[in-house]
Amino acid sequence: MNLFRALHYRPFALLWTGQTISRVGDGLYRIALAWWVLEKTGSATAMGTVLIFTSVPMLLFLLVGGVVVDRLPRARVMLVSDFALGIIVAVVSVLAYTNLLEIWHIYVAGIVFGLAEAFFRPAYTAIVPDVTPREALTSANSLTALSQEVAGIGGPAIGAAIVAAGGTSLAFALDAVSFLISVGCLIGISALIPADDGPRESTSVVRDVREGIGVVRASPWLWITITMAAFANITLAGPFSVTTPFLIKEHLHADVGSLGLVYSVFSFGSVAAAVWLGSRLHVRKRGLLTYSVWLLSSMALAVIGVMPSVLGVAIAAFICGVGLSIGNLIWINTLQEMVPPKLLGRVSSIDSLGSFVFTPIGYGVSGWATDLIGPASVFILGGILTGIFNILGMLHPAVRDLD
């Protein structure tokens, strides 16, 4: 089956296995963190602040991370990032278990998460073509998304059960263990990938970054999509990340199990999309398809705000997950095809920086708006604005003509 073709290559199989386990742990952490903040503070603004403390360090260091990824062994960069995260989550677990965990501890942990992500994100994007032949890239990226979303299904559901049965400290501890397992897999990858001992021109960080920016500016498809994503992440990522727990608890009067269900169903939609796309060797009209499915997701986001039940929210979240996953997978496949391997770390860091540069604003505004006008209104307004951004992007010929 085309979907599983990339697993025939041992380095990618190790990469995929380690990250799948780590992502299950991330799901445990996410649901435990959301519930801990909700019970500790009862404030959507506090939830948004936690996410801001994570995203701002990532954005500040992404360009440096891209340069480092193109200069150093990518598996080693990922290994150091995962090891640091395993340590910090272990500390959070101990503090939670001893009832010493405070909101400022979570802020500090968020800073470490953001710093590690600034290096890990471009490293992962760039290492996939290193460990996978070109003809298996669609399979590799689809499997990556599949593992992330399967973990997104199981992680929140398992996390909700663990929080209910053993408290948030146990969920945090299991996430720390998942990072250490990923570190072991990355050690194995480092042994399988030959070291690049070829001569490298000594250049400044600024020159390296400018070279990556030049690649983006030369391709309208790249800079238009990055710009659109920057604004869409205010209006889509903000409400879904910050407002969902408050929609479930305060608007629909449901419990943590319902929150886990919504997160899991969203991920299940992404799984369905990854399976569909990964089984195809070629996708036609990639530009229009990408923006069309993103438009579908924005409509589903708005619908979440008018649903009177958890079941209705879950169905809309499923549709949102399908659209986002298809569009994101086409984007990453196209990025890896269009960008030379030696520049991929820098370009992917520019992509992440540009796409997520306004995300902290989205988190802050979503928390503030949730407290001011209510969670349902935030979803409706966010969906409408995201749809407008997608329609504007579709008007450019570079988007419509990409095949």
Side-chain angles (χ1 to χ4, degrees), residues 266-277:
F266 174 88
S267 295
F268 187 76
S270 298
V271 167
V275 170
W276 176 80
L277 193 66

Side-chain angles (χ1 to χ4, degrees), residues 260-309:
L261 172 66
V262 171
Y263 284 151
S264 296
V265 169
F266 174 88
S267 295
F268 187 76
S270 298
V271 167
V275 170
W276 176 80
L277 193 66
S279 63
R280 279 152 178 76
L281 292 175
H282 303 288
V283 177
R284 305 300 303 272
K285 300 293 182 182
R286 289 182 291 179
L288 282 176
L289 177 59
T290 298
Y291 277 74
S292 295
V293 293
W294 281 341
L295 179 60
L296 176 67
S297 294
S298 66
M299 296 168 59
L301 188 77
V303 168
I304 287 176
V306 301
M307 286 296 178
S309 67

Side-chain angles (χ1 to χ4, degrees), residues 207-227:
R207 179 177 174 181
D208 284 352
V209 171
R210 289 177 62 184
E211 191 174 5
I213 292 174
V215 173
V216 174
R217 291 179 61 186
S219 170
W221 161 253
L222 292 179
W223 66 258
I224 289 170
T225 305
I226 291 172
T227 302

Side-chain angles (χ1 to χ4, degrees), residues 308-385:
S309 67
V310 172
L311 178 60
V313 170
I315 293 172
F318 173 85
I319 297 171
C320 190
V322 169
L324 286 177
S325 183
I326 292 176
N328 292 344
L329 281 171
I330 294 174
W331 167 254
I332 194 65
N333 287 338
T334 307
L335 191 72
Q336 290 170 343
E337 290 178 9
M338 295 177 65
V339 178
K342 67 177 183 178
L343 295 170
L344 189 53
R346 277 163 282 176
V347 172
S348 63
S349 70
I350 293 167
D351 165 36
S352 295
L353 176 61
S355 298
F356 296 104
V357 65
F358 297 139
T359 302
I361 297 174
Y363 291 154
V365 170
S366 293
W368 169 79
T370 299
D371 291 335
L372 183 67
I373 63 176
S377 298
V378 170
F379 274 99
I380 294 170
L381 183 60
I384 292 172
L385 291 174

Side-chain angles (χ1 to χ4, degrees), residues 25-48:
D26 289 344
L28 304 184
Y29 184 86
R30 186 170 70 249
I31 196 76
L33 179 64
W35 206 249
W36 184 89
V37 172
L38 186 58
E39 290 191 328
K40 183 76 172 181
T41 69
S43 169
T45 301
M47 181 71 74

Side-chain angles (χ1 to χ4, degrees), residues 93-245:
S93 173
V94 171
L95 291 173
Y97 181 75
T98 56
N99 294 319
L100 296 175
L101 187 62
E102 300 291 341
I103 191 68
W104 72 268
H105 295 137
I106 297 298
Y107 293 159
V108 172
I111 291 172
V112 177
F113 265 84
L115 288 172
E117 187 71 7
F119 294 87
F120 187 93
R121 184 185 292 269
Y124 191 94
T125 300
I127 200 174
V128 170
D130 290 345
V131 300
T132 314
R134 183 181 179 88
E135 63 272 14
L137 278 179
T138 300
S139 167
N141 289 318
S142 295
L143 284 169
T144 296
L146 184 63
S147 72
Q148 182 174 350
E149 302 308 337
V150 167
I153 293 171
I158 297 170
I162 290 173
V163 170
T168 55
S169 61
L170 179 58
F172 291 145
L174 291 175
D175 185 32
V177 172
S178 75
F179 278 117
L180 297 181
I181 294 173
S182 176
V183 166
C185 291
L186 288 166
I187 291 173
I189 294 171
S190 298
L192 291 173
I193 300 177
D196 182 8
D197 297 324
R200 296 191 180 190
E201 181 184 356
S202 178
T203 59
S204 69
V205 172
V206 173
R207 179 177 174 181
D208 284 352
V209 171
R210 289 177 62 184
E211 191 174 5
I213 292 174
V215 173
V216 174
R217 291 179 61 186
S219 170
W221 161 253
L222 292 179
W223 66 258
I224 289 170
T225 305
I226 291 172
T227 302
M228 187 281 298
F231 290 100
N233 272 320
I234 300 177
T235 54
L236 191 150
F240 200 82
S241 298
V242 175
T243 309
T244 301

